[in-house]
Amino acid sequence: MPLVSSRYQIFFSQAGNNPPKIQDFKRRLMDENTFTENFNNQGWPSKTFLCYMVERLDDENTATPLDEYKGFVRNKGRDQPGEPCHAELYFLGQIRSWNLDRNQHYRLTCFISWTPCYNCAQKLTTFLKENHHISLHIFASRIYTVDDSGSRQSGLCALQAAGARITIMTSKDFERCWVTFVDHKEKPFQPWEGLEHHVYGPILHTFEEEWVAKQTKRMLVMKVAPIQGFSAEWDYDKNEWKTDHVARLDPETFYFQFHNLLYAYGRNCSYICYRVKTWKHRSPVSFDWGVFHNQVYAGTHCHSERRFLSWFCAKKLRPDECYHITWFMSWSPCMKCAELVAGFLGMYQNVTLSIFTARLYYFQKPQYRKGLLRLSDQGACVDIMSYQEFKYCWKKFVYSQRRPFRPWKKLKRNYQLLAAELEDILGNTMNLLRETLFKQQFGNQPRVPPPYYRRKTYLCYQLKELDDLMLDKGCFRNKKQRHAEIRFIDKINSLNLNPSQSYKIICYITWSPCPNCASELVDFITRNDHLNLQIFASRLYFHWIKPFWRGLQQLQEAGISVAVMTHTEFEDCWEQFVDNQLRPFQPWDKLEQYSASIRRRLQRILTAPT
């Protein structure tokens, strides 16, 4: 019996020990009987067939099929000449030969008669880890159970952990495979008897809708136990949702949807855990919190950001009150939602927004990067969720039943990778500082208070016209081989300021500049005499070493004002650069005393003989 229709042919060729390459002529279509024999989920064929198709993901809603990368392969058994080779290895050999553009995203869909064995699952896992621009969805007709040692389960689990989706073929999947890969001569797919039974198994009568409805109403009448989670938001009498959002998430939903993977495929739901603080006359008057999720049912699609704004404008927004909104998001906003939220913030000046996101949505695509930058430019604080945010969400927004939050593997590492990506998206300018970070890094105590941490260099700047009109502001942190002062100079140079107009720049810095940075700042101001630079330092860097004295003296000689931060500067820095959620600045113990001591030391340095 031929494997393919007489009008289509597939040839296998070998070169050394490399996997065989596939040479095809015209489109590859499978013979009708071959499909039925090998994909029938009630049989036990000795062959493995793998049908594959490739789509390019242009954006969140658009996928372009690539017909040149569509076909099927089968394994080569011991009864055939040459080295035996599984179908999955033929498939991997094909993918590597295509050299898919790493700047694009692709989705591979496979229909396979047997799930991959342990070795093939390992090969596919390695491939996905090496090619983050490719996602894989496997539809299997049957589960390969030859190896009962447990390795097959671990192989499939590792493949799923690498981002692959593995599901059992249903009637719709068999029909899709039939239409796409079989020379069916325009005959419709005819499901065989028992197809669904082998997919799902026998369905107990207790799962029938009528039975479940009766049991639910009986439990409500008897008050057997409180209904929690999403179930609590359903009106069992009216058969509709009580509200357009819920109060808490189930633990399983939180762990799956908020997992901070760098590349997370198959998570199509988006969740916002929100917190709204309302202020009136600088006093808090109310506090709201809850969870929104995107609407993907009933033929309508509405993202969670749009649902929140609709609710907030209808139920909360008042012109005589101020609001600080905090979002903890499973995905960062898409391009359209980012533009919508930015427009909302521009329209309502009495609303501020802080966004903490578990993952970045299509962060390689320029339009999505521009969306996040637009939000930041409009004043929104955009940041990546760290362990503290996940722990807070678990406690506040999850039905945890008092169980502690258990972080998953690589949470910290993934946070660092995502934070680096976000920093790159926002033009290397940091976002608003967290309150604890500000107090730790800008604190002027002579010794680090417990818990002990490393003090780094942070530089916050404000660029103004001489009439105090704010033109730009931002915050930089030291990077390896590139101090915050140098990054600040690069940023100002990139603005291409009008040399015929005068500007004022105020810098708040945790450590006074080192000699090299002081020299660079002097050269920068010398070349740009239309700029007036003022530096306020929280602490003096290596103030007992004379070369560092000379650097500060050179700054003063070049006309750059160098001073020590007092309560006034700390308060201004708090209001301009910290995600303070409208709370007033609370000075730490002995702030003014430490400031006066550092100020006297700076004065001695600046007046010391050179």
Side-chain angles (χ1 to χ4, degrees), residues 289-309:
W289 57 275
V291 180
F292 277 90
H293 56 92
N294 58 330
Q295 182 176 321
V296 293
Y297 52 84
T300 61
H301 296 270
C302 187
H303 286 194
S304 49
E305 297 91 335
R306 186 180 296 273
R307 301 189 76 190
F308 173 87
L309 291 181

Side-chain angles (χ1 to χ4, degrees), residues 217-228:
K217 289 187 177 181
R218 180 171 175 267
M219 291 172 65
L220 290 172
V221 172
M222 296 177 63
K223 298 182 179 180
V224 175
I227 298 178
Q228 299 179 332

